[in-house]
Amino acid sequence: MVTDRFNSLGRPARLVALCLLVVAVAFLVLGRWDLALAIGAGALLGWVLLKPVRITWAIFAVAFMVPVTIDLGYPTNPSYTLLLVLFVLAGWGRLHRAERDGWPPRRIGAALLLPFCAVLAGVLHWHGVKPVVVGVAPLLCIGVLGWHLIEEARRDPKLILRIAEVFTWVSVAVAALAKYQTLTGTWPLFDQFAYDWTYTSVFDPTRAAGFFGHPIVYGSFAMAMALVSLTIRGRYWYVPFTANLIGLVLSGTRSAWVGTALALGIWLLLNVRKIAWRGVATGVIITVVAFAAVAVNPSTFRIGTSEPPPTWVSPTEPGTKPSPSPSTSSVDSVGVAGARMSDPVGSASASARFERIAVAWDGITRDWSTVIFGNGPESSVRYLEDVGIGDGQAQVFDNTYLTIWHNFGLVGLLSLLGLLLALFWRSRSLAGRLIIVGFAAQIFFFDVWLWLSAVGVLLLAVALGAAEDRPWPTLPFLNGLRKRRPRAPETSDASTPGFAAAA
């Protein structure tokens, strides 16, 4: 079959493929696996660019399956490199479709809104060209990606639904890996290849990260996949839903718990009239299975014995990466989750965030211009590098909204909030709306833009919102509002839901 596909290519394409293969093999023989890998990645990228459908698949595959905490020899920061790759994919996809689809000004304007705010802040508070480019680049990439996915979802809605369902089953394997991480107290591959020790289990062996390199990002992914499983309801939907509930607990990500709780609360309100005993029984079974999978570990079956928790050898010199001690044991995930829920306001993490809110607010309120237009792109990075916060935590504000306000001002913050509200209101998908609610809640607790998998969660919500066009339940008071509206003409489709019609 591979031979047939190869022969179906044109003669120039076959010659190019053979030359690339020979060069890659030569580099492998010489021991330059990095150059051979680069050639393979370039060839794969060229193959993907041949068809827009492949581009759509590739966007989510890169966003969800390529961790940004492992540096494979990228020319710059992995997040910026992978965002650039996705920008090339989406940009080529739009150029490929432009002759037929045209250039919709509203969607292009929405894609450029946040980058425009960044440029405006950079011009008013000038610190050179580099901060403007670095600050605008991720926002521009994400905007173009969103525009591309909206167009492709409207062209082929079934493709987006198929992609979403495939990744819900991928998430089952990720949950299994997360359970293995809590059983061993280590993160395979990430502990060996992460470019910074803070992206390994050394930093916090009590939490799982899947293959995302950070528990917060895994929490975002598990939240989205749980909501997709619950709302799209593919075959055996309860399997990925249960697996992602397990993953949410194992990640120990309180921000994802908050986002999931809000989204599930909305889902329950929308479906309150449809709740039946069968549904209640299914919910109880899922809860019991998830709790059992989280709680069970080898020590559960040992009587009268206990092992100490994993310990880590502290570095003896500044800059030395800690290493795991030979003695490790499984993590009590239930105990960890309970501890993180018992005193969320008084924890060290919460105290650090309160301090960051105060620091960010001081920078925002320096004068009227910083309130309205911010301090300029990358101003938060410059402050944290030059001054910093001496609490031993990551040097970030850990709040996307405050970071946007600090850098781009109230203009940027209102633009972000307006975009999220517009995406929620115009979404045709219940899954898309619930993911947007969870995402909007979670990014209050961390800076999202350079965590590609977390951004992928928003992109999935955008694509689903443009793909699905089916009735979904609304709150009773919204139904009451609709009854007061003028009746639609007899020729209209009375079955079209209000939200979908508004879209």
Side-chain angles (χ1 to χ4, degrees), residues 204 206-208 215-216 218-219 246-257 336-337 340:
D204 188 353
T206 65
R207 299 168 65 187
I216 287 181
Y218 178 36
I246 294 168
L248 278 169
V249 177
L250 297 180
S251 73
T253 305
R254 289 173 293 194
S255 58
W257 298 348
V336 171
R340 292 184 66 79

Side-chain angles (χ1 to χ4, degrees), residues 349-384:
S349 177
S351 300
R353 281 177 168 81
F354 291 144
E355 184 172 357
R356 280 154 175 71
I357 290 174
V359 170
W361 187 249
D362 289 340
I364 291 169
T365 57
R366 281 197 312 160
D367 56 55
W368 69 269
S369 66
T370 57
V371 172
I372 299 176
F373 300 109
N375 294 273
E378 296 293 284
S379 59
S380 59
V381 175
R382 290 194 300 273
Y383 174 84
L384 293 167

Side-chain angles (χ1 to χ4, degrees), residues 2-66:
V2 175
T3 305
D4 294 338
R5 289 190 177 184
F6 181 77
N7 292 330
S8 66
L9 298 174
R11 185 175 180 183
R14 291 201 300 269
L15 289 175
V16 171
L18 285 174
C19 290
L20 290 175
L21 179 61
V22 170
V23 174
V25 171
F27 278 130
L28 285 175
V29 172
L30 295 173
R32 294 300 305 272
W33 66 270
D34 53 339
L35 295 178
L37 182 62
I39 291 174
L44 180 61
L45 179 63
W47 177 77
V48 166
L49 288 172
L50 293 176
K51 291 186 178 181
V53 172
R54 295 175 188 167
I55 291 176
T56 306
W57 276 100
I59 287 173
F60 289 107
V62 172
F64 287 141
M65 303 186 71
V66 181

Side-chain angles (χ1 to χ4, degrees), residues 75-270:
T76 184
N77 181 284
S79 296
Y80 284 100
T81 302
L82 293 173
L83 273 173
L84 177 60
V85 170
L86 294 185
F87 178 77
V88 170
L89 290 172
W92 181 258
R94 287 300 87 220
L95 290 173
H96 190 86
R97 301 285 200 191
E99 184 176 354
R100 179 174 178 178
D101 294 348
W103 302 89
R106 289 186 179 180
R107 285 189 279 279
I108 294 175
L112 297 179
L113 181 57
L114 284 178
F116 171 77
C117 295
V119 171
L120 179 63
V123 171
L124 294 177
H125 294 276
W126 184 256
H127 293 280
V129 175
K130 183 179 178 180
V132 176
V133 173
V134 174
V136 168
L139 300 176
L140 179 62
C141 293
I142 295 166
V144 172
L145 283 166
W147 166 34
H148 171 75
L149 290 174
I150 287 174
E151 300 294 342
E152 291 302 305
R154 293 192 170 188
R155 175 184 289 272
D156 188 359
K158 292 183 179 179
L159 172 65
I160 301 300
L161 296 176
R162 188 161 61 250
I163 290 174
E165 191 168 358
V166 165
F167 276 102
T168 60
W169 287 101
V170 170
S171 68
V172 176
V174 180
L177 175 60
K179 183 60 181 178
Y180 175 82
Q181 290 171 343
T182 57
L183 290 175
T184 62
T186 60
W187 300 352
L189 296 179
F190 294 96
D191 284 346
Q192 289 81 17
F193 297 108
Y195 68 85
D196 191 278
W197 74 272
T198 57
Y199 302 136
T200 67
S201 61
V202 177
F203 192 71
D204 188 353
T206 65
R207 299 168 65 187
F211 52 60
F212 300 96
H214 199 291
I216 287 181
V217 185
Y218 178 36
S220 296
F221 177 77
M223 173 185 69
M225 293 302 106
L227 296 174
V228 169
S229 303
L230 179 65
T231 51
I232 291 182
R233 295 291 183 98
R235 192 175 186 183
Y236 305 120
W237 64 270
Y238 43 83
V239 175
F241 180 69
T242 306
N244 284 288
L245 290 184
I246 294 168
L248 278 169
V249 177
L250 297 180
S251 73
T253 305
R254 289 173 293 194
S255 58
W257 298 348
V258 172
T260 305
L262 288 174
L264 290 179
I266 293 175
W267 181 85
L268 285 171
L269 285 175
L270 295 175

